[in-house]
Amino acid sequence: MSKLGKIFLYVACAGALAAAVGGYLLISKRSEDAANLAQVTTAKVASDAAAKKAEAETTAANAAKADSDAKLATATGKIDDLNTQLDAAKKSAADANTAVQTANAAAKDAADKLAAFNATLNGETPDQLVAEKKKAQDDLSAAQAEQKIIQDQLQSSQQQIADLTDAINRSTKLNGKMPGVSGKVTFVDHAWNFVIVDVGLSAGVVPNGELIVYRGRTFLGKVRVTKVDPNDAVAEILPDVKGDIQIGDAVLN
């Protein structure tokens, strides 16, 4: 073979070798790219799943917070209502106390007049003096009766203040919930849409609290407390009542 032929042969071999190396490198690069793509795809799937989970957890947390906020608002409203009733009871007590003082003054004035009339009579019985004496006695009796009524009202107001204060304290501690109230319906008035139950402040019943009514295992409806005393309460029958509430039906919170 001539020298030129050998040169061409070497060049051809070199080209073939270069092509083989280039092909190998290209194949290796494509394999590496495919592996990287698979890894990126897997990472994206995992990232999407984590994002969905985080979104679900955020939604659940927001729902729980909204429920908690609603319960807190309800409890705060009940406590505000109790405080309003307490302020009204205190005002009523102050008015009754003023009335008692006025009645005491009127009773004393009537007693002084009666004593003056008795001194004026001096054993004599003129018709006019006798009539004035009787009027003074009547005025004294009326003033004393009014004094007794107002004193009773004052005592009732003071008891109401004590009961409401106790109810507020229990309502604050229990976050507006009545603890384990259980009793029975003792009176029903369907015309005026109310019932009377045999549980009151001493059992944890608070104004505006709701009780459920049932017979056996049958749910009948709900009632809302409108007036509460130490041992019983009056409650309004709520519109969504499911059954005919009767005396003896059970109530609980």
Side-chain angles (χ1 to χ4, degrees):
M1 180 181 294
S2 66
K3 185 176 181 180
L4 182 58
K6 289 180 180 182
I7 291 173
F8 283 143
L9 179 59
Y10 290 152
V11 171
C13 289
L17 179 59
V21 171
Y24 173 75
L25 293 176
L26 181 59
I27 293 172
S28 297
K29 182 64 170 63
R30 288 183 176 177
S31 296
E32 183 180 352
D33 290 343
N36 289 338
L37 179 60
Q39 184 177 3
V40 170
T41 301
T42 300
K44 184 179 183 302
V45 170
S47 176
D48 290 344
K52 288 182 179 180
K53 180 180 179 182
E55 182 179 357
E57 291 176 349
T58 299
T59 300
N62 289 337
K65 183 179 181 301
D67 182 65
S68 177
D69 290 345
K71 290 180 178 178
L72 178 59
T74 299
T76 302
K78 290 182 177 179
I79 292 172
D80 289 343
D81 183 66
L82 286 171
N83 283 324
T84 299
Q85 293 185 44
L86 177 60
D87 290 340
K90 287 181 177 179
K91 183 180 183 302
S92 176
D95 292 341
N97 190 51
T98 301
V100 166
Q101 294 176 359
T102 301
N104 288 340
K108 184 179 182 304
D109 181 66
D112 292 341
K113 286 182 179 179
L114 179 60
F117 285 143
N118 285 332
T120 301
L121 284 175
N122 220 9
E124 299 178 0
T125 59
D127 292 342
Q128 184 178 2
L129 290 178
V130 171
E132 290 179 354
K133 178 180 178 180
K134 184 178 182 306
K135 182 178 182 304
Q137 288 174 327
D138 292 341
D139 290 344
L140 176 61
S141 298
Q144 289 173 336
E146 182 180 2
Q147 179 185 23
K148 176 65 168 61
I149 292 172
I150 294 174
Q151 284 175 334
D152 290 343
Q153 290 175 346
L154 175 60
Q155 184 177 1
S156 176
S157 296
Q158 290 171 337
Q159 182 62 46
Q160 185 180 10
I161 289 173
D163 292 340
L164 287 172
T165 300
D166 183 60
I168 289 172
N169 291 335
R170 288 199 303 272
S171 179
T172 302
K173 292 178 182 177
L174 297 169
N175 205 16
K177 297 181 180 178
M178 296 181 289
V181 173
S182 177
K184 291 187 179 298
V185 175
T186 58
F187 179 81
V188 181
D189 190 324
H190 291 291
W192 291 94
N193 200 43
F194 73 91
V195 300
I196 298 177
V197 297
D198 62 358
V199 285
L201 287 170
S202 61
V205 177
V206 296
N208 292 322
E210 290 187 3
L211 299 169
I212 65 171
V213 185
Y214 67 96
R215 185 181 304 136
R217 296 186 177 181
T218 302
F219 169 76
L220 299 177
K222 292 183 179 181
V223 296
R224 179 180 294 114
V225 177
T226 57
K227 180 180 181 297
V228 59
D229 292 320
N231 298 312
D232 55 32
V234 178
E236 172 192 8
I237 300 174
L238 296 181
D240 60 348
V241 63
K242 306 296 183 184
D244 185 22
I245 296 176
Q246 299 294 336
I247 294 174
D249 289 338
V251 296
L252 55 78
N253 65 335

